[in-house]
Amino acid sequence: MGLKERIEDGSAVLTVVGLGYVGLPLAVEMAKAGHRVLGIDISAEKVGLVNEGTSYIPDVPTDELARLVSDGLIEATTDFSRVGETDAVAICVPTPLNETKEPDTTFMESAAAAIAPHLHPQMLVTLESTTYPGTTEEIIQPILESGGLKVGTDLYLAFSPERVDPGNPVYQTRNTPKVIGGVTPACTEHALALYGRYIDTVVPVSSTRAAEMTKLLENTFRGVNIALMNELLMLSERMDINLWEVIEAAKTKPFGYMPFYPGPGLGGHCIPIDPFYLSWKAKQYDFRTEFIDLSGRINENMPYYVVQRLMDAMNRQRKALAGSKVLVLGVAYKADIDDMRESPAIRIVELLQDKEAEVVYHDPYVPRFSVKGAEIPKVDLTAGTITAADVVLIITAHKNLDYALVAENAALVLDTRNAMWQFDGPKVVRL
Ligand code: SAJ
């Protein structure tokens, strides 16, 4: 029976390489559609947790994972050779930047190299990791074909960008439309058939490069627009205009406008990183992506701007930052989640410590937090800890924080998220 038939009758056995915030939810959706799924990860700890039915991804309920594992639909292993037992592989590994802000494709390359020797004819491989246009065909395809199989006849290869928004209460893996572009029409067809088994909406595009570019467009759009808000924030402050109020007013326009907000900088595994995958590749075409480069400079400057505004606010109270106690409120990279990756709080605390401030933090989602290898003391949010601080610096506006308590007890607040919009007064300074 051919691959297409095995996909359509649910007998196709599927592999997910990389059991992180993308791969584990994907494996669960595949299994919920009735497919047996083999999860492969280099982390024996993750493999162990999956095999005991314990989820370490907030978007994957442990009881759901445990049921699928006990039903024999999900199994995890560190043994890449076992991919040969399966019919299709989704590669969901990280695509970070290196120290010089260039794409680090080593995770994708090593995943492809690890499965290549074990691929057999009539398998489908899809790459989900966010990357620059050309990666699938220039890097992954040669590795997969190194064993003699040919993409388009023996093997099917496609790119389908992950669109996971950690903690999103509305959109999860199943109900987020999935863009799919294959190396050949047959590759696209097989990928559409497979993803269509467990994702509500599949969106074919003409090539892997179009699919790769789709994801970068989505996130570059966000990064550039956030940078625009950050630039307008700095201008508005000089013009004594409350940009937060202006954004709320602009939002009343029912068409042709989409709100973004200024902030202390960009965190996360996508927005601060993805645009630089595109600007890096553009250079090979003698093209300078000026919008992206400028937006990067503006966004990267925001932690420095926050510290400058903090010193200005303290100066108005005749206080020096050096020797003062700063209570940092919210350190995760965005509200209501526990993820610290690339959080602007890291850079901001580094800068505060460089200026000899004493920093403590409170974040209900983040149990511990280190900067340059040193743990930052965590405090509860109480009248005592607030009054003990010379200033409260709100970096991440978790909904469950008690902003009224802060307003009652803080000597000074610098609010980088307009979280305290209800509490006007000289003590509350908005970024
Ligand atoms: N941020 C701002 N101002 C904004 C929006 C975000 O400063 O107006 C900051 C956040 O605080 C955070 C960073 O930017 O530090 C990124 O925030 P994000 O809302 O873009 O959240 P992410 O990084 O989780 O982005 C994910 C992305 N999902 C995928 O890449 C699959 C992105 O495409 C989603 O649009 C985004 O979630 C979302 O909409 O929540």
Side-chain angles (χ1 to χ4, degrees):
M1 185 165 42
L3 176 58
K4 195 83 173 298
E5 291 71 25
R6 288 198 301 278
I7 288 172
E8 283 160 355
D9 74 6
S11 62
V13 180
L14 311 179
T15 295
V16 175
V17 173
L19 300 176
Y21 77 91
V22 174
L24 190 60
L26 191 65
V28 164
E29 289 307 332
M30 291 168 164
K32 281 163 67 178
H35 288 276
R36 273 185 47 230
V37 182
L38 179 67
I40 299 182
D41 201 291
I42 55 174
S43 157
E45 185 194 2
K46 284 193 172 81
V47 165
L49 286 168
V50 169
N51 285 332
E52 69 181 46
T54 304
S55 173
Y56 46 85
I57 298 290
D59 289 343
V60 175
T62 273
D63 56 351
E64 185 169 62
L65 178 63
R67 177 176 57 77
L68 294 167
V69 170
S70 64
D71 290 352
L73 286 170
I74 290 182
E75 179 194 352
T77 179
T78 56
D79 178 1
F80 279 80
S81 71
R82 292 196 51 196
V83 73
E85 302 165 17
T86 70
D87 300 294
V89 190
I91 301 174
C92 309
V93 295
T95 47
L97 292 173
N98 61 26
E99 307 76 57
T100 51
K101 280 210 178 302
E102 292 175 317
D104 175 358
T105 55
T106 53
F107 295 90
M108 287 188 290
E109 291 173 65
S110 49
I115 64 172
H118 312 291
L119 300 177
H120 56 72
Q122 292 309 300
M123 277 186 86
L124 166 66
V125 178
T126 50
L127 176 63
E128 294 223 355
S129 309
T130 305
T131 186
Y132 57 79
T135 304
T136 304
E137 296 184 29
E138 294 166 15
I139 294 186
I140 304 302
Q141 183 171 346
I143 295 173
L144 299 184
E145 290 182 326
S146 59
L149 295 175
K150 186 89 184 80
V151 165
T153 48
D154 306 317
L155 266 184
Y156 302 104
L157 175 59
F159 182 81
S160 180
E162 59 92 358
R163 277 180 165 173
V164 175
D165 176 25
N168 190 312
V170 177
Y171 295 106
Q172 283 93 39
T173 297
R174 172 144 204 138
N175 67 346
T176 301
K178 203 82 167 55
V179 170
I180 295 166
V183 173
T184 69
C187 297
T188 306
E189 192 191 323
H190 282 81
L192 286 170
L194 179 57
Y195 279 97
R197 297 268 307 157
Y198 53 86
I199 289 189
D200 296 343
T201 309
V202 287
V203 181
V205 291
S206 62
S207 65
T208 58
R209 296 153 66 80
E212 289 158 337
M213 189 61 154
T214 299
K215 175 62 186 282
L216 293 182
L217 170 60
E218 290 163 9
N219 284 357
T220 300
F221 165 75
R222 286 183 74 74
V224 169
N225 279 285
I226 293 165
L228 174 62
M229 291 302 109
N230 286 329
E231 181 175 78
L232 293 183
L233 176 83
M234 293 185 273
L235 170 60
S236 303
E237 199 267 333
R238 286 209 195 156
M239 297 173 80
D240 195 23
I241 292 171
N242 176 352
L243 184 71
W244 302 93
E245 173 195 14
V246 169
I247 291 168
E248 288 309 305
K251 276 164 69 174
T252 61
K253 182 180 179 192
F255 50 82
Y257 178 75
M258 179 178 181
F260 287 90
Y261 301 90
L266 258 61
H269 40 274
C270 306
I271 310 308
I273 289 165
D274 298 351
F276 296 101
Y277 266 70
L278 187 56
S279 57
W280 177 82
K281 187 66 175 178
K283 291 188 185 108
Q284 287 179 15
Y285 297 82
D286 299 330
F287 193 93
R288 290 285 173 275
T289 53
E290 309 209 11
F291 268 103
I292 294 174
D293 300 345
L294 174 59
S295 69
R297 287 200 298 278
I298 291 171
N299 290 330
E300 284 157 1
N301 176 58
M302 290 315 286
Y304 299 85
Y305 178 71
V306 166
V307 172
Q308 183 56 53
R309 290 289 307 277
L310 185 73
M311 291 192 290
D312 294 347
M314 296 183 75
N315 188 49
R316 286 193 287 274
Q317 292 192 348
R318 306 287 182 276
K319 281 185 183 171
L321 178 56
S324 288
K325 187 168 191 176
V326 182
L327 168 53
V328 172
L329 198 42
V331 292
Y333 85 78
K334 72 176 184 180
D336 311 325
I337 65 169
D338 64 358
D339 198 332
M340 282 297 293
R341 273 174 293 189
E342 306 286 324
S343 172
I346 298 166
R347 173 70 75 213
I348 289 170
V349 169
E350 263 179 40
L351 294 170
L352 293 174
Q353 291 183 328
D354 290 350
K355 292 181 185 300
E356 296 173 32
E358 181 196 344
V359 181
V360 297
Y361 87 99
H362 175 79
D363 186 316
Y365 293 88
V366 179
R368 64 184 56 77
F369 165 47
S370 295
V371 168
K372 287 185 176 169
E375 282 234 352
I376 306 301
K378 179 171 190 224
V379 298
D380 293 332
L381 192 63
T382 66
T385 58
I386 297 168
T387 48
D390 296 291
V391 59
V392 174
L393 173 57
I394 300 174
I395 293 181
T396 303
H398 296 306
K399 290 189 187 63
N400 63 1
L401 290 172
D402 186 345
Y403 297 108
L405 185 71
V406 174
E408 280 155 33
N409 294 284
L412 177 63
V413 182
L414 178 60
D415 178 3
T416 71
R417 299 289 189 176
N418 198 35
M420 295 189 62
W421 57 274
Q422 293 162 299
F423 308 99
D424 260 339
K427 292 192 306 180
V428 179
V429 177
R430 259 185 295 278
L431 192 65

